[in-house]
Coordinates of all heavy atoms in Angstrom, one line a residue:
M116 N -11.6 5.7 -13.0 CA -12.1 5.9 -11.7 C -11.2 5.2 -10.7 O -10.9 3.9 -10.9 CB -13.5 5.4 -11.6 CG -14.1 5.5 -10.3 SD -15.8 4.8 -10.3 CE -16.7 6.4 -10.0
S117 N -10.9 5.7 -9.6 CA -10.1 5.1 -8.6 C -10.9 4.5 -7.5 O -12.0 5.1 -7.0 CB -9.1 6.2 -8.0 OG -8.4 5.6 -6.9
T118 N -10.6 3.3 -7.1 CA -11.3 2.6 -6.0 C -10.4 2.7 -4.8 O -9.3 2.3 -4.8 CB -11.6 1.1 -6.5 OG1 -12.2 1.1 -7.6 CG2 -12.3 0.3 -5.4
E119 N -11.0 3.1 -3.7 CA -10.3 3.2 -2.4 C -10.8 2.0 -1.6 O -11.9 1.7 -1.5 CB -10.6 4.5 -1.8 CG -10.1 5.7 -2.5 CD -10.3 7.0 -1.9 OE1 -11.0 7.0 -0.9 OE2 -9.8 8.0 -2.4
T120 N -9.8 1.4 -0.9 CA -10.2 0.3 -0.1 C -9.8 0.7 1.4 O -8.5 1.1 1.6 CB -9.3 -1.0 -0.5 OG1 -9.7 -1.2 -1.9 CG2 -9.7 -2.1 0.3
Y121 N -10.6 0.3 2.4 CA -10.4 0.6 3.7 C -10.6 -0.6 4.5 O -11.4 -1.5 4.2 CB -11.2 1.7 4.3 CG -11.1 3.0 3.5 CD1 -11.9 3.3 2.5 CD2 -10.2 3.9 4.0 CE1 -11.7 4.6 1.8 CE2 -10.0 5.2 3.3 CZ -10.7 5.5 2.3 OH -10.6 6.7 1.6
L122 N -9.8 -0.7 5.6 CA -10.0 -1.8 6.6 C -9.9 -1.2 8.0 O -9.3 -0.2 8.3 CB -8.9 -2.8 6.6 CG -8.7 -3.8 5.5 CD1 -7.4 -4.6 5.5 CD2 -9.9 -4.7 5.5
N123 N -10.6 -1.9 8.9 CA -10.7 -1.3 10.3 C -9.7 -2.2 11.1 O -10.0 -3.4 11.3 CB -12.1 -1.4 10.9 CG -12.2 -0.7 12.2 OD1 -11.3 0.1 12.5 ND2 -13.2 -1.0 12.9
H124 N -8.7 -1.6 11.6 CA -7.7 -2.3 12.4 C -8.2 -2.4 13.8 O -8.7 -1.3 14.3 CB -6.3 -1.7 12.4 CG -5.2 -2.4 13.1 ND1 -5.0 -2.4 14.4 CD2 -4.2 -3.2 12.5 CE1 -4.0 -3.1 14.8 NE2 -3.5 -3.7 13.6
P125 N -8.1 -3.4 14.6 CA -8.6 -3.5 16.0 C -8.0 -2.5 16.9 O -8.7 -2.1 17.9 CB -8.3 -4.9 16.4 CG -7.5 -5.5 15.4 CD -7.5 -4.7 14.2
T126 N -6.8 -2.1 16.7 CA -6.1 -1.1 17.6 C -5.9 0.3 17.0 O -6.2 1.3 17.7 CB -4.8 -1.6 18.1 OG1 -4.9 -2.9 18.6 CG2 -4.0 -0.7 19.1
F127 N -5.6 0.3 15.7 CA -5.2 1.6 15.2 C -6.3 2.3 14.3 O -6.1 3.3 13.6 CB -3.9 1.4 14.3 CG -2.7 1.0 15.1 CD1 -2.3 -0.3 15.1 CD2 -2.1 1.9 16.0 CE1 -1.2 -0.7 15.8 CE2 -1.0 1.5 16.7 CZ -0.6 0.2 16.7
G128 N -7.5 1.7 14.2 CA -8.5 2.2 13.5 C -8.6 2.1 12.1 O -8.1 1.0 11.5
L129 N -9.1 3.0 11.4 CA -9.3 2.9 9.9 C -7.8 3.1 9.2 O -7.1 3.9 9.4 CB -10.1 4.1 9.5 CG -10.9 3.9 8.1 CD1 -11.7 2.7 8.2 CD2 -11.7 5.1 7.9
L130 N -7.7 2.0 8.3 CA -6.5 2.0 7.4 C -6.9 2.2 6.0 O -8.0 1.6 5.7 CB -5.7 0.7 7.6 CG -5.4 0.2 9.1 CD1 -4.8 -1.1 8.9 CD2 -4.5 1.2 9.6
Y131 N -6.1 2.8 5.1 CA -6.5 2.8 3.8 C -5.4 2.0 2.9 O -4.3 2.0 3.3 CB -6.5 4.2 3.2 CG -5.3 4.9 3.1 CD1 -4.7 5.0 1.8 CD2 -4.7 5.6 4.1 CE1 -3.5 5.6 1.6 CE2 -3.5 6.3 3.9 CZ -2.9 6.2 2.7 OH -1.7 6.9 2.5
R132 N -5.8 1.5 1.8 CA -4.9 0.7 1.0 C -4.0 1.6 0.2 O -4.4 2.5 -0.5 CB -5.6 -0.3 0.1 CG -4.7 -1.2 -0.7 CD -5.5 -2.1 -1.6 NE -5.6 -1.5 -2.8 CZ -5.7 -2.2 -4.0 NH1 -5.9 -3.4 -4.0 NH2 -5.8 -1.5 -5.2
V133 N -2.7 1.3 0.4 CA -1.7 2.1 -0.4 C -1.5 1.4 -1.7 O -1.6 2.1 -2.8 CB -0.4 2.3 0.3 CG1 0.7 3.0 -0.5 CG2 -0.6 3.0 1.7
C134 N -1.2 0.1 -1.7 CA -1.1 -0.6 -3.0 C -1.1 -2.1 -2.7 O -1.0 -2.6 -1.6 CB 0.3 -0.3 -3.7 SG 1.8 -0.9 -2.8
L135 N -1.3 -2.7 -3.8 CA -1.2 -4.2 -3.8 C 0.2 -4.6 -3.9 O 1.0 -4.0 -4.6 CB -1.9 -4.8 -5.1 CG -1.9 -6.3 -5.4 CD1 -2.7 -7.0 -4.4 CD2 -2.3 -6.5 -6.8
V136 N 0.6 -5.6 -3.1 CA 2.1 -6.0 -3.0 C 2.2 -7.3 -3.8 O 3.0 -7.5 -4.7 CB 2.6 -6.2 -1.6 CG1 3.9 -6.7 -1.5 CG2 2.4 -4.9 -0.8
E137 N 1.4 -8.3 -3.5 CA 1.3 -9.5 -4.2 C -0.1 -10.0 -4.3 O -1.0 -9.2 -3.8 CB 2.2 -10.6 -3.5 CG 3.6 -10.4 -3.5 CD 4.5 -11.5 -2.7 OE1 3.9 -12.5 -2.4 OE2 5.6 -11.3 -2.6
E138 N -0.4 -11.2 -4.8 CA -1.7 -11.6 -5.0 C -2.6 -11.5 -3.7 O -3.8 -11.1 -3.7 CB -1.7 -12.9 -5.6 CG -3.2 -13.4 -6.0 CD -3.2 -14.8 -6.7 OE1 -2.2 -14.9 -7.4 OE2 -4.1 -15.5 -6.4
S139 N -2.0 -11.9 -2.5 CA -2.8 -11.9 -1.4 C -2.2 -11.0 -0.3 O -2.6 -11.1 0.8 CB -2.8 -13.4 -0.8 OG -1.5 -13.8 -0.4
Q140 N -1.5 -10.1 -0.7 CA -0.8 -9.1 0.2 C -1.0 -7.7 -0.2 O -0.9 -7.4 -1.5 CB 0.6 -9.3 0.5 CG 1.0 -10.6 1.2 CD 2.5 -10.7 1.5 OE1 3.3 -10.3 0.7 NE2 2.8 -11.3 2.6
E141 N -1.4 -6.8 0.6 CA -1.5 -5.4 0.3 C -0.9 -4.6 1.4 O -0.8 -4.9 2.5 CB -3.0 -5.1 0.2 CG -3.7 -5.8 -0.9 CD -5.2 -5.5 -0.9 OE1 -5.9 -6.1 0.0 OE2 -5.7 -4.8 -1.7
L142 N -0.5 -3.4 1.0 CA 0.2 -2.4 2.0 C -0.9 -1.4 2.4 O -1.7 -0.9 1.5 CB 1.3 -1.7 1.2 CG 2.0 -0.7 2.2 CD1 2.7 -1.4 3.3 CD2 3.1 0.0 1.2
F143 N -1.1 -1.2 3.7 CA -2.1 -0.3 4.2 C -1.4 0.7 5.1 O -0.3 0.4 5.6 CB -3.1 -1.0 5.0 CG -4.3 -1.6 4.2 CD1 -4.1 -2.9 3.5 CD2 -5.5 -1.0 4.0 CE1 -5.0 -3.4 2.7 CE2 -6.5 -1.6 3.3 CZ -6.3 -2.8 2.6
A144 N -2.0 1.9 5.3 CA -1.5 2.9 6.2 C -2.6 3.4 7.0 O -3.7 3.4 6.6 CB -0.8 4.0 5.4
T145 N -2.2 3.9 8.2 CA -3.3 4.6 9.0 C -3.8 5.9 8.2 O -3.0 6.5 7.6 CB -2.7 5.1 10.4 OG1 -1.5 5.8 10.2 CG2 -2.4 3.9 11.2
L146 N -5.1 5.9 8.3 CA -5.7 7.0 7.4 C -5.3 8.4 7.8 O -5.1 9.2 6.9 CB -7.2 6.8 7.7 CG -8.1 7.8 6.8 CD1 -7.8 7.6 5.4 CD2 -9.5 7.6 7.2
Y147 N -5.2 8.8 9.1 CA -5.0 10.2 9.4 C -3.6 10.6 9.5 O -3.2 11.6 8.9 CB -5.8 10.6 10.7 CG -7.3 10.3 10.6 CD1 -7.8 9.2 11.1 CD2 -8.0 11.1 9.7 CE1 -9.2 8.9 11.0 CE2 -9.3 10.8 9.5 CZ -10.0 9.8 10.1 OH -11.2 9.5 9.9
A148 N -2.8 9.8 10.2 CA -1.3 10.2 10.3 C -0.5 9.7 9.2 O 0.6 10.4 8.9 CB -0.8 9.6 11.6
Q149 N -0.8 8.6 8.5 CA 0.0 8.1 7.4 C 1.4 7.8 7.9 O 2.4 7.9 7.2 CB 0.0 8.9 6.1 CG -1.4 9.1 5.5 CD -1.3 10.0 4.3 OE1 -0.2 10.4 3.8 NE2 -2.5 10.3 3.8
R150 N 1.5 7.4 9.1 CA 2.8 7.2 9.8 C 3.1 5.7 10.0 O 4.2 5.2 10.1 CB 3.1 8.0 11.0 CG 3.1 9.5 10.9 CD 4.4 9.9 10.3 NE 4.4 11.3 10.2 CZ 5.1 12.0 9.4 NH1 5.8 11.4 8.5 NH2 5.0 13.3 9.3
L151 N 1.9 4.9 10.2 CA 1.9 3.6 10.6 C 1.6 2.8 9.3 O 0.6 3.0 8.7 CB 1.1 3.2 11.7 CG 1.5 3.9 13.1 CD1 0.4 3.6 14.1 CD2 2.9 3.6 13.5
F152 N 2.4 1.7 9.0 CA 2.2 0.9 7.8 C 2.0 -0.5 8.2 O 2.7 -1.0 9.2 CB 3.3 1.1 6.8 CG 3.4 2.4 6.2 CD1 4.1 3.4 6.8 CD2 2.7 2.8 5.1 CE1 4.2 4.7 6.3 CE2 2.7 4.0 4.6 CZ 3.5 5.0 5.1
F153 N 1.1 -1.3 7.5 CA 0.9 -2.6 7.7 C 0.9 -3.4 6.4 O 0.3 -2.9 5.4 CB -0.5 -2.8 8.4 CG -0.6 -2.1 9.7 CD1 -1.1 -0.8 9.9 CD2 -0.3 -2.8 10.9 CE1 -1.1 -0.2 11.1 CE2 -0.3 -2.2 12.2 CZ -0.7 -0.9 12.3
L154 N 1.4 -4.6 6.5 CA 1.4 -5.5 5.3 C 0.2 -6.5 5.7 O 0.3 -7.1 6.7 CB 2.7 -6.2 5.2 CG 2.7 -7.2 4.0 CD1 2.6 -6.4 2.7 CD2 4.1 -7.9 4.0
V155 N -0.9 -6.4 5.0 CA -2.0 -7.2 5.3 C -2.1 -8.4 4.3 O -2.1 -8.2 3.1 CB -3.4 -6.3 5.2 CG1 -4.6 -7.1 5.5 CG2 -3.2 -5.1 6.1
T156 N -2.2 -9.5 4.9 CA -2.2 -10.8 4.2 C -3.6 -11.4 4.3 O -4.2 -11.5 5.4 CB -1.2 -11.8 4.7 OG1 0.1 -11.2 4.7 CG2 -1.2 -13.0 3.8
H157 N -4.2 -11.7 3.2 CA -5.5 -12.3 3.1 C -5.4 -13.8 3.2 O -4.7 -14.4 2.3 CB -6.2 -12.0 1.8 CG -6.3 -10.5 1.5 ND1 -7.3 -10.0 0.8 CD2 -5.4 -9.5 1.7 CE1 -7.1 -8.7 0.6 NE2 -5.9 -8.4 1.2
T158 N -5.9 -14.4 4.2 CA -5.9 -15.9 4.3 C -7.4 -16.3 4.4 O -8.2 -15.6 4.8 CB -5.1 -16.3 5.5 OG1 -5.7 -15.9 6.7 CG2 -3.7 -15.8 5.5
P159 N -7.6 -17.7 4.2 CA -8.9 -18.2 4.4 C -9.4 -18.0 5.8 O -10.7 -17.9 6.1 CB -8.8 -19.8 4.1 CG -7.6 -19.8 3.2 CD -6.7 -18.7 3.6
A160 N -8.5 -17.9 6.8 CA -8.9 -17.8 8.2 C -9.2 -16.2 8.5 O -9.7 -15.9 9.6 CB -7.8 -18.2 9.1
G161 N -8.8 -15.4 7.6 CA -9.1 -13.9 7.8 C -7.9 -13.1 7.5 O -7.2 -13.4 6.5
F162 N -7.7 -11.9 8.0 CA -6.7 -11.1 7.7 C -5.5 -11.1 8.8 O -5.8 -11.3 10.0 CB -7.2 -9.5 7.7 CG -8.2 -9.3 6.7 CD1 -9.5 -9.2 6.9 CD2 -7.7 -9.1 5.4 CE1 -10.4 -8.9 5.9 CE2 -8.6 -8.8 4.3 CZ -10.0 -8.8 4.6
Q163 N -4.3 -11.0 8.3 CA -3.2 -10.9 9.2 C -2.5 -9.6 9.0 O -2.2 -9.2 7.9 CB -2.2 -12.0 8.9 CG -0.9 -12.0 9.7 CD 0.0 -13.1 9.4 OE1 -0.4 -14.2 8.7 NE2 1.3 -13.0 9.7
F164 N -2.4 -8.8 10.1 CA -1.8 -7.5 10.0 C -0.4 -7.6 10.5 O -0.1 -7.9 11.7 CB -2.6 -6.5 10.9 CG -4.0 -6.2 10.5 CD1 -5.0 -7.0 10.9 CD2 -4.2 -5.1 9.7 CE1 -6.3 -6.7 10.5 CE2 -5.5 -4.9 9.2 CZ -6.5 -5.7 9.6
D165 N 0.6 -7.2 9.7 CA 2.0 -7.2 10.1 C 2.5 -5.8 9.9 O 2.6 -5.3 8.9 CB 2.8 -8.1 9.2 CG 2.5 -9.6 9.4 OD1 2.3 -10.1 10.5 OD2 2.4 -10.3 8.3
P166 N 2.9 -5.1 11.1 CA 3.5 -3.8 11.0 C 4.8 -3.8 10.2 O 5.6 -4.8 10.3 CB 3.6 -3.4 12.4 CG 3.7 -4.7 13.2 CD 3.0 -5.7 12.5
V167 N 5.0 -2.8 9.4 CA 6.2 -2.5 8.7 C 6.7 -1.1 8.9 O 5.9 -0.3 9.1 CB 6.1 -2.9 7.2 CG1 5.9 -4.4 7.0 CG2 5.0 -2.1 6.5
S168 N 8.0 -0.8 8.8 CA 8.5 0.5 9.0 C 8.2 1.2 7.7 O 7.8 0.8 6.6 CB 10.1 0.3 9.1 OG 10.7 0.0 7.9
R169 N 8.3 2.6 7.9 CA 8.0 3.5 6.8 C 9.0 3.2 5.6 O 8.6 3.2 4.5 CB 8.2 5.0 7.3 CG 7.9 6.0 6.3 CD 7.9 7.4 6.9 NE 7.7 8.4 5.9 CZ 6.4 8.7 5.5 NH1 5.4 8.2 6.0 NH2 6.3 9.7 4.6
T170 N 10.3 2.8 6.0 CA 11.3 2.6 5.0 C 10.9 1.3 4.3 O 10.9 1.2 3.0 CB 12.7 2.4 5.6 OG1 13.0 3.6 6.3 CG2 13.7 2.1 4.6
D171 N 10.5 0.3 4.9 CA 10.1 -1.0 4.3 C 8.9 -0.8 3.5 O 8.7 -1.3 2.3 CB 9.8 -2.1 5.3 CG 11.2 -2.6 6.0 OD1 12.3 -2.3 5.4 OD2 11.0 -3.2 7.0
A172 N 7.9 0.0 3.9 CA 6.7 0.3 3.1 C 7.1 1.0 1.8 O 6.6 0.7 0.7 CB 5.8 1.2 3.9
R173 N 8.0 1.9 1.9 CA 8.4 2.7 0.7 C 9.2 1.7 -0.3 O 8.8 1.7 -1.5 CB 9.5 3.7 1.1 CG 9.9 4.6 -0.1 CD 10.9 5.7 0.4 NE 10.9 6.7 -0.7 CZ 11.2 7.9 -0.6 NH1 11.4 8.4 0.6 NH2 11.4 8.7 -1.6
V174 N 9.9 0.7 0.2 CA 10.6 -0.3 -0.6 C 9.5 -1.2 -1.3 O 9.6 -1.4 -2.5 CB 11.6 -1.1 0.2 CG1 12.1 -2.4 -0.6 CG2 12.7 -0.3 0.6
L175 N 8.5 -1.6 -0.6 CA 7.5 -2.4 -1.0 C 6.7 -1.7 -2.2 O 6.4 -2.2 -3.3 CB 6.4 -2.8 0.0 CG 7.0 -3.9 1.0 CD1 6.0 -3.9 2.1 CD2 7.2 -5.2 0.3
L176 N 6.4 -0.4 -2.0 CA 5.7 0.4 -3.1 C 6.6 0.6 -4.3 O 6.2 0.5 -5.4 CB 5.3 1.7 -2.4 CG 4.3 2.5 -3.3 CD1 3.4 3.3 -2.3 CD2 4.9 3.4 -4.2
E177 N 7.8 0.9 -4.0 CA 8.8 1.1 -5.2 C 9.0 -0.2 -6.0 O 9.1 -0.2 -7.2 CB 10.1 1.6 -4.7 CG 10.0 3.1 -4.3 CD 11.3 3.6 -3.6 OE1 12.1 2.8 -3.2 OE2 11.2 4.9 -3.3
N178 N 9.0 -1.4 -5.3 CA 9.1 -2.6 -6.0 C 7.8 -2.8 -6.9 O 7.9 -3.3 -8.0 CB 9.2 -3.8 -5.1 CG 10.6 -3.9 -4.4 OD1 11.5 -3.4 -5.0 ND2 10.7 -4.5 -3.3
R179 N 6.7 -2.4 -6.4 CA 5.4 -2.5 -7.1 C 5.5 -1.7 -8.3 O 5.1 -2.0 -9.4 CB 4.2 -2.2 -6.2 CG 2.9 -2.3 -7.0 CD 2.5 -3.7 -7.3 NE 1.2 -3.7 -7.9 CZ 0.8 -4.6 -8.8 NH1 1.5 -5.7 -9.1 NH2 -0.4 -4.6 -9.3
L180 N 6.0 -0.5 -8.1 CA 6.2 0.5 -9.3 C 7.0 -0.2 -10.4 O 6.7 0.0 -11.6 CB 6.8 1.8 -8.8 CG 5.9 2.8 -8.2 CD1 6.6 3.9 -7.6 CD2 4.8 3.4 -9.2
R181 N 8.1 -0.7 -10.0 CA 9.0 -1.4 -11.0 C 8.3 -2.5 -11.7 O 8.5 -2.6 -12.9 CB 10.3 -1.9 -10.3 CG 11.3 -0.9 -10.0 CD 12.7 -1.5 -9.7 NE 12.7 -2.0 -8.3 CZ 12.7 -1.2 -7.2 NH1 13.0 0.1 -7.4 NH2 12.7 -1.7 -6.0
N182 N 7.6 -3.3 -11.0 CA 6.8 -4.4 -11.6 C 5.8 -3.8 -12.6 O 5.6 -4.4 -13.7 CB 6.1 -5.3 -10.6 CG 7.1 -6.1 -9.9 OD1 8.2 -6.4 -10.3 ND2 6.7 -6.5 -8.6
L183 N 5.1 -2.8 -12.2 CA 4.1 -2.2 -13.2 C 4.7 -1.7 -14.4 O 4.2 -1.8 -15.5 CB 3.3 -1.1 -12.5 CG 2.3 -1.5 -11.4 CD1 1.7 -0.4 -10.7 CD2 1.2 -2.5 -11.9
R184 N 5.9 -1.1 -14.3 CA 6.7 -0.5 -15.4 C 7.1 -1.6 -16.3 O 7.0 -1.5 -17.5 CB 7.8 0.4 -14.9 CG 8.4 1.2 -16.1 CD 9.5 2.1 -15.6 NE 10.6 1.3 -14.9 CZ 11.2 1.5 -13.8 NH1 10.7 2.5 -13.1 NH2 12.1 0.7 -13.3
R185 N 7.6 -2.7 -15.8 CA 8.1 -3.8 -16.5 C 6.9 -4.4 -17.3 O 7.1 -4.9 -18.5 CB 8.7 -4.9 -15.7 CG 10.1 -4.5 -15.2 CD 10.7 -5.7 -14.4 NE 11.7 -5.1 -13.6 CZ 12.1 -5.4 -12.4 NH1 11.3 -6.2 -11.7 NH2 13.1 -4.9 -11.7
Q186 N 5.7 -4.5 -16.7 CA 4.6 -5.1 -17.4 C 3.9 -4.2 -18.3 O 3.0 -4.6 -19.1 CB 3.6 -5.6 -16.3 CG 4.1 -6.6 -15.4 CD 3.2 -6.9 -14.2 OE1 2.1 -6.3 -14.1 NE2 3.6 -7.8 -13.4
G187 N 4.3 -2.9 -18.5 CA 3.8 -1.9 -19.3 C 2.4 -1.4 -18.9 O 1.6 -1.0 -19.8
L188 N 2.0 -1.5 -17.7 CA 0.7 -1.0 -17.2 C 0.9 0.5 -16.8 O 1.0 0.9 -15.7 CB 0.3 -1.9 -16.0 CG 0.1 -3.3 -16.3 CD1 0.0 -4.1 -15.0 CD2 -1.0 -3.6 -17.3
S189 N 0.9 1.3 -17.9 CA 1.3 2.8 -17.7 C 0.1 3.5 -16.7 O 0.5 4.4 -15.9 CB 1.4 3.4 -18.9 OG 0.2 3.4 -19.7
T190 N -1.1 3.2 -16.9 CA -2.1 3.9 -16.2 C -2.0 3.6 -14.7 O -2.0 4.5 -13.9 CB -3.6 3.5 -16.7 OG1 -3.6 3.7 -18.0 CG2 -4.6 4.2 -15.9
E191 N -1.9 2.3 -14.4 CA -1.7 1.9 -13.0 C -0.3 2.5 -12.4 O -0.3 2.9 -11.2 CB -1.7 0.4 -12.8 CG -3.1 -0.2 -13.1 CD -3.1 -1.7 -13.0 OE1 -2.3 -2.3 -12.1 OE2 -3.8 -2.4 -13.8
Y192 N 0.6 2.4 -13.2 CA 1.9 3.0 -12.8 C 1.8 4.5 -12.4 O 2.4 4.9 -11.4 CB 3.0 2.8 -13.9 CG 4.4 3.4 -13.6 CD1 5.2 2.7 -12.8 CD2 4.7 4.7 -14.1 CE1 6.5 3.3 -12.5 CE2 5.9 5.2 -13.8 CZ 6.8 4.5 -13.0 OH 8.0 5.1 -12.8
E193 N 1.2 5.3 -13.3 CA 1.0 6.7 -13.0 C 0.2 7.0 -11.8 O 0.5 7.8 -11.0 CB 0.4 7.4 -14.2 CG 1.3 7.4 -15.4 CD 0.6 7.9 -16.7 OE1 -0.5 8.4 -16.6 OE2 1.3 7.8 -17.7
Q194 N -0.9 6.2 -11.6 CA -1.7 6.3 -10.4 C -0.8 6.0 -9.1 O -0.9 6.7 -8.1 CB -2.9 5.4 -10.4 CG -3.9 5.9 -11.5 CD -5.0 4.8 -11.6 OE1 -5.0 3.7 -11.1 NE2 -6.1 5.3 -12.3
L195 N -0.1 4.9 -9.2 CA 0.7 4.5 -8.0 C 1.9 5.5 -7.7 O 2.3 5.7 -6.6 CB 1.2 3.1 -8.2 CG 1.9 2.5 -6.9 CD1 0.9 2.5 -5.7 CD2 2.3 1.1 -7.2
Q196 N 2.4 6.1 -8.9 CA 3.5 7.0 -8.6 C 3.0 8.3 -8.0 O 3.6 8.8 -7.1 CB 4.1 7.4 -10.0 CG 5.3 8.2 -9.9 CD 5.9 8.3 -11.3 OE1 5.3 8.5 -12.3 NE2 7.2 8.2 -11.5
K197 N 1.7 8.7 -8.2 CA 1.1 9.8 -7.5 C 0.9 9.4 -6.0 O 1.2 10.3 -5.2 CB -0.3 10.1 -8.1 CG -1.0 11.2 -7.5 CD -2.3 11.5 -8.3 CE -3.1 12.6 -7.6 NZ -4.4 12.8 -8.2
V198 N 0.5 8.3 -5.7 CA 0.3 7.8 -4.4 C 1.8 7.8 -3.7 O 1.8 8.3 -2.5 CB -0.2 6.4 -4.2 CG1 -0.1 5.8 -2.9 CG2 -1.7 6.5 -4.7
H199 N 2.7 7.4 -4.4 CA 4.1 7.4 -3.9 C 4.5 8.8 -3.4 O 5.1 9.1 -2.4 CB 5.1 6.9 -4.9 CG 6.5 6.8 -4.4 ND1 7.4 7.8 -4.6 CD2 7.2 5.8 -3.8 CE1 8.6 7.6 -4.0 NE2 8.5 6.3 -3.6
R200 N 4.3 9.8 -4.4 CA 4.7 11.2 -4.0 C 3.9 11.7 -2.8 O 4.4 12.4 -1.9 CB 4.4 12.1 -5.3 CG 5.5 11.9 -6.3 CD 5.3 13.0 -7.3 NE 4.0 12.9 -8.1 CZ 3.8 12.3 -9.2 NH1 4.8 11.6 -9.8 NH2 2.7 12.3 -9.8
Q201 N 2.6 11.4 -2.8 CA 1.8 11.9 -1.7 C 2.1 11.3 -0.3 O 2.1 12.0 0.6 CB 0.3 11.7 -2.0 CG -0.3 12.4 -3.1 CD -1.7 12.0 -3.4 OE1 -2.2 10.9 -3.1 NE2 -2.4 12.9 -4.1
T202 N 2.5 10.1 -0.4 CA 2.8 9.4 0.9 C 4.2 9.6 1.4 O 4.5 9.7 2.6 CB 2.6 7.8 0.7 OG1 1.2 7.7 0.1 CG2 2.7 7.1 2.1
F203 N 5.2 9.6 0.5 CA 6.6 9.6 0.9 C 7.4 10.8 0.6 O 8.6 10.8 1.0 CB 7.3 8.3 0.3 CG 6.7 7.1 0.8 CD1 5.9 6.3 0.0 CD2 6.9 6.6 2.2 CE1 5.4 5.1 0.5 CE2 6.4 5.4 2.6 CZ 5.7 4.8 1.8
Q204 N 6.9 11.8 0.0 CA 7.6 13.0 -0.3 C 7.0 14.2 0.3 O 5.9 14.3 0.6 CB 7.9 13.1 -1.8 CG 8.7 12.0 -2.3 CD 8.9 12.1 -3.9 OE1 8.3 12.9 -4.5 NE2 9.7 11.2 -4.4

């Protein structure tokens, strides 16, 4: 079962989680256009939204794919590969 995560950005509205980047960082995209990407950092003070380019977002997702493949997490790898195809191709 896939869990979808959404955040409400104060300016750009609803964002959906594309992937986990690091322990406290996740990549989000605008829900409808999928053109704007944000690196969201979780801090004790709240959330920090940093805009990233489409190219940088793709690199972050591809790095996550490489890490999953190295760790042998094939189910997560296949799910994220599907997200990659839907988002960037």
Side-chain angles (χ1 to χ4, degrees):
M116 176 182 249
S117 175
T118 302
E119 295 179 355
T120 303
Y121 297 93
L122 283 177
N123 191 19
H124 187 279
T126 305
F127 297 104
L129 203 57
L130 307 176
Y131 75 95
R132 188 178 91 154
V133 176
C134 72
L135 177 71
V136 176
E137 292 180 8
E138 187 174 322
S139 63
Q140 291 185 327
E141 296 175 286
L142 181 63
F143 279 79
T145 51
L146 182 62
Y147 300 106
Q149 297 179 6
R150 297 279 182 213
L151 301 174
F152 293 89
F153 297 89
L154 186 60
V155 178
T156 305
H157 308 213
T158 64
F162 293 102
Q163 177 180 341
F164 294 87
D165 296 314
V167 294
S168 69
R169 186 172 177 83
T170 302
D171 289 343
R173 185 176 189 154
V174 168
L175 289 169
L176 195 147
E177 289 171 350
N178 286 340
R179 180 69 178 155
L180 281 169
R181 277 192 286 282
N182 288 337
L183 290 173
R184 188 176 62 229
R185 285 183 196 134
Q186 295 171 2
L188 301 171
S189 60
T190 303
E191 292 178 36
Y192 176 83
E193 290 171 10
Q194 290 174 348
L195 191 56
Q196 195 170 38
K197 182 179 176 183
V198 169
H199 181 272
R200 281 191 300 268
Q201 291 173 342
T202 306
F203 296 107
Q204 293 178 354

